[in-house]
Amino acid sequence: MSTPSPDPAPVTCFLGEGVPLAPHTTLGLGGPARYWASCARVDQVRACLPWARRRGLPVQVLGGGSNVVFADEGFEGLVLHVALRGVERVADGTGVRLTAAAGETWDAVVEACVADGLAGVECLSGIPGQVGATPIQNVGAYGQEVSQVLVEVQALDRHTLREVTFPAVDCGFGYRHSRFRGEDRDRYVITRVALRLEPQGRPAVRYAELRSRLEDSALDAGERGAPALRRVRQAVLALRREKSMVVDPADPNSRSAGSFFLNPRLSRGELEALRGRLPAGTGIPTFEAPDGVKVPAAWLIERAGFPRGLRLGGAAISDRHALALVNRGATARQLLALAARIQEGVQARFGVRLEPEPVILGPRGPLASGALGAGPACQ
Ligand code: NAP
């Protein structure tokens, strides 16, 4: 006679032991996960969390692995891979409400919207990763941000195991920021995201870099719908490919976590202090931001003496973009050592602190933001 399992959670979803993490990340770095679960249903996520809690295991939620650095030692807890699928669209007044499960591939959703003439995400083409990750850092590019079209986020509270809905106004969105990256970091598993898109809408062309690229393909001002959106998508993809920011196994420069540092925002005072550290007359590229200016991190990195292509062991700065760190046969330790060296060099030269964009994990959980040189993975 078989005895009912007192702890059925692990069998409700695929649970492996000692699963290598590197293949699940775009950087291709990291040792094994002690436990690995791939959850295709919300009830599986709900079952895995207490299963890990009872064993005193830390849990790391993983989507597309495009914004994460796992330690060479791996992860000593449960890596919970979000494999929730499904996309629905319903008419919503003059718009379309699109609800996508967190495990959907973001760029596939964008591609389908563009093909069907739904405007609002076309500039977010080619961004790697899954739908569920997009609200966390309020993914944005070329003047478009997911928060501009986001209606609500559904999530599972990791403590209470209840499903919660956050309307956009409650998500605490800022520049590459939200409550899910701030005060509520690691509190929720995002399960679904709802967007409101404009049928037969006009593409957003706000950045000069994008506009000049589109001049070649003759996008008429005011042009709407799928053909115009498609041209913008193609222009964005071309720009991103030139910077190796589209994940492509044939492009070794794309074996990265995208931008490794956030573009810093400086107050007017900080900008003046930066000017004071440069030879008189040096033109600093700046862009207006709500509370000061944005300065491209790549510009600071290159001028602090870290050129594209620079290598430290198997870790390198991309040949195509100084903001991307590339695995060319590196360990996580080497990559983080290179990141720490860049961070220290920019701080020493310009007095500007670059904050890492990816989640950097030690064997038991995230390392403090900016603590590149401090964690076990970097010693
Ligand atoms: P980039 O276009 O060289 O821009 C570098 C910095 O300059 C960014 O802070 C960007 O602001 C700002 N900037 C450039 N042109 C601007 C304009 N016309 N108006 C206002 N600000 C301007 O950066 P990149 O690394 O090649 O990336 C291209 C785009 O992808 C950027 O928009 C970047 O933010 C975005 N991106 C987003 C993520 C993410 O969401 N996690 C990751 C990588 C890249 P913005 O950042 O506000 O655009």
Side-chain angles (χ1 to χ4, degrees):
M1 196 177 84
S2 66
T3 318
S5 165
D7 196 5
V11 297
T12 61
C13 53
F14 170 69
L15 187 87
E17 278 190 59
V19 173
L21 289 166
H24 295 284
T25 70
T26 55
L27 259 173
L29 290 175
R34 181 159 167 208
Y35 296 103
W36 165 275
S38 191
C39 298
R41 297 196 319 260
V42 174
D43 62 351
Q44 294 174 338
V45 180
R46 197 182 268 118
C48 280
L49 293 168
W51 180 88
R53 197 182 303 151
R54 281 195 293 279
R55 287 160 179 78
L57 295 169
V59 176
Q60 179 60 42
V61 178
L62 183 68
S66 59
N67 202 37
V68 65
V69 187
F70 282 111
D72 298 314
E73 294 80 357
F75 189 71
E76 287 174 9
L78 170 66
V79 173
L80 192 162
H81 176 243
V82 177
L84 305 166
R85 303 300 301 269
V87 182
E88 288 160 23
R89 291 186 200 169
V90 290
D92 178 15
T94 55
V96 166
R97 181 187 167 109
L98 180 149
T99 307
E104 290 289 334
T105 301
W106 171 255
D107 194 49
V109 171
V110 173
E111 186 178 26
C113 289
V114 165
D116 294 339
L118 297 174
V121 287
E122 58 283 353
C123 292
L124 307 182
S125 292
I127 291 180
Q130 296 183 347
V131 164
T134 59
I136 295 177
Q137 56 170 319
N138 186 15
V139 157
Y142 302 106
Q144 222 169 34
E145 289 182 341
V146 75
S147 60
Q148 294 162 351
V149 291
L150 188 134
V151 180
E152 65 185 30
V153 170
Q154 284 173 33
L156 194 72
D157 185 323
R158 286 170 59 165
H159 302 314
T160 65
L161 302 180
R162 290 210 188 98
E163 281 190 89
V164 204
T165 300
F166 295 98
V169 288
D170 292 340
C171 289
F173 286 126
Y175 178 69
R176 307 291 175 265
H177 190 77
S178 74
R179 68 186 295 163
F180 309 110
R181 196 183 157 102
E183 70 269 27
D184 283 333
R185 187 180 180 135
D186 290 331
R187 165 126 193 231
Y188 298 100
V189 180
I190 292 178
T191 53
R192 297 180 87 73
V193 174
L195 311 176
R196 191 172 187 281
L197 302 162
E198 189 189 354
Q200 297 308 309
R202 191 187 296 175
V205 183
R206 301 193 177 108
Y207 276 27
E209 190 184 18
L210 181 57
R211 190 172 302 117
S212 63
R213 184 57 63 105
L214 281 162
E215 274 159 17
D216 302 340
S217 67
L219 183 78
D220 297 330
E223 201 180 328
R224 297 177 162 269
L229 294 167
R230 203 173 295 127
R231 261 177 272 162
V232 170
R233 173 173 165 80
Q234 279 159 5
V236 169
L237 287 175
L239 287 171
R240 292 185 67 94
R241 271 200 199 98
E242 285 165 17
K243 299 174 188 179
S244 294
M245 289 294 189
V246 176
V247 176
D248 176 356
D251 177 359
N253 277 297
S254 74
R255 209 166 174 215
S256 76
S259 302
F260 200 90
F261 296 101
L262 293 165
N263 289 305
R265 282 176 307 162
L266 307 183
S267 66
R268 300 277 163 196
E270 287 165 336
L271 178 63
E272 283 319 304
L274 173 59
R275 280 195 213 290
R277 288 171 177 258
L278 287 158
T282 306
I284 307 175
T286 57
F287 298 95
E288 289 301 313
D291 46 359
V293 293
K294 288 175 286 185
V295 177
W299 189 89
L300 296 169
I301 291 169
E302 291 190 84
R303 272 149 199 85
F306 300 95
R308 296 179 203 180
L310 181 81
R311 288 183 78 133
L312 183 68
I317 297 179
S318 164
D319 297 329
R320 305 267 190 89
H321 198 335
L323 205 43
L325 302 189
V326 178
N327 170 13
R328 295 187 182 280
T331 58
R333 190 173 279 106
Q334 285 172 344
L335 190 107
L336 294 175
L338 176 59
R341 208 172 273 191
I342 293 170
Q343 193 184 47
E344 286 156 18
V346 169
Q347 174 92 50
R349 174 74 182 87
F350 296 123
V352 175
R353 177 97 182 150
L354 293 182
E355 295 299 330
E357 188 183 300
V359 177
I360 299 171
L361 291 155
R364 289 200 64 83
L367 302 180
S369 170
L372 284 173
C378 338
Q379 285 162 1

